Amino acid sequence: MGSFDGEQLGQTMVFDTKADRDAWVSDEHYESGDLHREAIGAREARASIIREVSGTNSWARLCDRYDTPSEVKRSATMVELLAAWRAEYGERDE
Protein backbone atom coordinates (compact mmCIF):
# COMPACT_ATOMS: atom_id res chain seq x y z
CA MET A 1 0.00 0.00 0.00
CA GLY A 2 1.79 3.05 -1.19
CA SER A 3 1.08 6.61 -0.36
CA PHE A 4 0.32 9.77 -2.22
CA ASP A 5 1.40 12.96 -0.50
CA GLY A 6 1.75 11.04 2.77
CA GLU A 7 -1.76 9.59 2.65
CA GLN A 8 -2.05 5.83 2.95
CA LEU A 9 -3.81 4.22 0.02
CA GLY A 10 -5.90 1.29 1.14
CA GLN A 11 -6.30 -0.67 4.33
CA THR A 12 -4.94 -3.85 5.84
CA MET A 13 -7.10 -6.93 5.63
CA VAL A 14 -6.16 -10.24 7.22
CA PHE A 15 -7.18 -13.58 5.75
CA ASP A 16 -7.07 -17.01 7.36
CA THR A 17 -5.52 -18.62 4.30
CA LYS A 18 -3.68 -17.58 1.16
CA ALA A 19 -6.53 -19.15 -0.83
CA ASP A 20 -9.05 -16.87 0.91
CA ARG A 21 -6.86 -13.87 0.12
CA ASP A 22 -6.41 -14.89 -3.50
CA ALA A 23 -10.17 -15.43 -3.90
CA TRP A 24 -10.82 -11.94 -2.52
CA VAL A 25 -8.28 -10.38 -4.89
CA SER A 26 -9.63 -12.26 -7.91
CA ASP A 27 -13.21 -11.23 -7.06
CA GLU A 28 -12.19 -7.70 -8.08
CA HIS A 29 -14.79 -5.52 -9.68
CA TYR A 30 -13.22 -3.46 -12.42
CA GLU A 31 -13.84 0.23 -12.42
CA SER A 32 -12.92 1.77 -15.75
CA GLY A 33 -10.45 -1.05 -16.27
CA ASP A 34 -8.46 -0.31 -13.09
CA LEU A 35 -7.75 -2.92 -10.42
CA HIS A 36 -8.20 -1.78 -6.85
CA ARG A 37 -7.47 -4.95 -4.88
CA GLU A 38 -4.01 -6.39 -4.52
CA ALA A 39 -2.09 -8.72 -2.29
CA ILE A 40 0.99 -7.16 -0.77
CA GLY A 41 4.22 -8.77 0.33
CA ALA A 42 5.09 -9.69 3.90
CA ARG A 43 7.48 -6.75 4.39
CA GLU A 44 4.89 -4.21 3.27
CA ALA A 45 2.15 -5.94 5.30
CA ARG A 46 4.34 -5.88 8.42
CA ALA A 47 5.03 -2.16 8.00
CA SER A 48 1.33 -1.45 7.45
CA ILE A 49 0.28 -3.42 10.53
CA ILE A 50 2.91 -1.65 12.66
CA ARG A 51 1.72 1.71 11.35
CA GLU A 52 -1.90 0.87 12.16
CA VAL A 53 -1.34 -0.45 15.70
CA SER A 54 1.19 2.20 16.74
CA GLY A 55 -0.26 4.30 19.54
CA THR A 56 -2.95 1.77 20.51
CA ASN A 57 -3.34 -0.21 23.74
CA SER A 58 -2.07 -3.30 21.91
CA TRP A 59 1.03 -1.38 20.84
CA ALA A 60 1.64 -0.35 24.46
CA ARG A 61 1.47 -4.01 25.52
CA LEU A 62 3.96 -4.98 22.82
CA CYS A 63 6.29 -2.16 23.93
CA ASP A 64 6.07 -3.42 27.51
CA ARG A 65 7.02 -6.89 26.32
CA TYR A 66 9.88 -5.74 24.07
CA ASP A 67 10.93 -2.64 26.07
CA THR A 68 11.02 -0.14 23.17
CA PRO A 69 9.02 0.64 20.02
CA SER A 70 12.10 0.08 17.86
CA GLU A 71 12.55 -3.37 19.41
CA VAL A 72 8.89 -4.19 18.65
CA LYS A 73 9.45 -3.18 15.02
CA ARG A 74 12.60 -5.25 14.82
CA SER A 75 11.68 -8.37 16.84
CA ALA A 76 7.94 -8.89 17.18
CA THR A 77 6.67 -11.86 15.21
CA MET A 78 3.91 -11.54 12.63
CA VAL A 79 1.73 -13.68 14.91
CA GLU A 80 2.14 -11.11 17.70
CA LEU A 81 1.56 -8.18 15.35
CA LEU A 82 -1.55 -9.80 13.87
CA ALA A 83 -2.89 -10.53 17.36
CA ALA A 84 -2.37 -6.86 18.26
CA TRP A 85 -4.04 -5.73 15.03
CA ARG A 86 -7.01 -8.06 15.57
CA ALA A 87 -7.35 -6.91 19.18
CA GLU A 88 -7.71 -3.32 17.95
CA TYR A 89 -9.65 -3.75 14.72
CA GLY A 90 -11.18 -7.23 14.70
CA GLU A 91 -11.98 -8.47 11.27
CA ARG A 92 -12.65 -5.73 8.76
CA ASP A 93 -15.34 -6.14 6.21
CA GLU A 94 -14.77 -4.91 2.71
Side-chain angles (χ1 to χ4, degrees):
M1 290 182 290
S3 64
F4 181 74
D5 291 335
E7 182 180 336
Q8 183 175 336
L9 303 177
Q11 69 179 15
T12 303
M13 295 183 68
V14 178
F15 298 92
D16 292 330
T17 67
K18 186 175 179 181
D20 290 343
R21 181 205 66 192
D22 292 346
W24 180 82
V25 170
S26 67
D27 192 34
E28 172 72 73
H29 294 284
Y30 289 92
E31 188 174 306
S32 303
D34 296 328
L35 290 173
H36 293 89
R37 294 181 180 177
E38 68 176 308
I40 59 175
R43 180 178 284 176
E44 193 173 359
R46 181 181 180 86
S48 178
I49 290 169
I50 288 170
R51 197 170 37 252
E52 289 189 32
V53 298
S54 291
T56 65
N57 290 334
S58 295
W59 181 255
R61 284 189 291 277
L62 285 171
C63 288
D64 286 345
R65 186 177 310 144
Y66 285 95
D67 296 326
T68 65
S70 60
E71 191 62 30
V72 173
K73 292 175 183 178
R74 187 173 31 258
S75 303
T77 66
M78 275 302 280
V79 170
E80 291 171 311
L81 293 172
L82 286 172
W85 185 87
R86 283 186 167 128
E88 295 300 324
Y89 302 106
E91 296 299 325
R92 289 187 180 164
D93 293 329
E94 183 182 350

